[in-house]
Amino acid sequence: MKDNVIGKPIREEGRLRYRGRNHSGLGQLSWMLGLIGWSILFLLVSEARGAQPDAGRIGSLATLLLLLSVFGIAAAAKGMKESNVFYKSVLLGAVLNGTLAVTLFALYLIGTAG
């Protein structure tokens, strides 16, 4: 099917027409922050299991990691408000950063209780 205005072929799914959609820039930022955050958390856990871990350094980096995940959630929330974009990267970033924030918060609660 050809578009009447531009003359380029368009793809139809159901009743929706997609023309020139890209992935959200904020969504891409969000999932990259989530991936970086999980990588840093893995490295912090590996360091904490070492012979003599520096608890102050690990705790301060984990706090910064929590702030990074909150920033990733905020970027995903702003990405959800964009129009005419694909939302897969936004959803991936929201899930990665949300689970990271919940995991870090649970670790903080376990640390204060124990």
Side-chain angles (χ1 to χ4, degrees):
M1 170 182 265
K2 297 265 185 187
D3 190 343
N4 295 335
V5 178
I6 301 173
K8 294 182 180 178
I10 59 174
R11 186 179 81 197
E12 288 189 20
E13 289 183 11
R15 303 180 102 192
L16 297 175
R17 291 184 174 188
Y18 300 108
R19 182 187 310 137
R21 290 177 87 176
N22 293 324
H23 288 284
S24 169
L26 290 171
Q28 291 176 353
L29 173 70
S30 178
W31 75 261
M32 285 182 201
L33 288 176
L35 190 63
I36 290 169
W38 277 104
S39 302
I40 292 173
L41 180 64
F42 177 73
L43 292 174
L44 288 177
V45 168
S46 298
E47 183 180 336
R49 294 180 56 103
Q52 291 195 353
D54 183 14
R57 181 175 172 268
I58 292 173
S60 61
L61 286 175
T63 303
L64 290 175
L65 192 57
L66 181 64
L67 292 174
L68 181 80
S69 70
V70 169
F71 181 71
I73 292 170
K78 285 185 180 180
M80 289 280 193
K81 295 179 183 177
E82 292 181 13
S83 63
N84 201 23
V85 293
F86 292 114
Y87 294 108
K88 290 179 184 177
S89 59
V90 176
L91 291 174
L92 179 64
V95 168
L96 283 174
N97 286 301
T99 55
L100 180 62
V102 168
T103 302
L104 287 170
F105 189 68
L107 285 173
Y108 291 142
L109 289 179
I110 291 169
T112 58

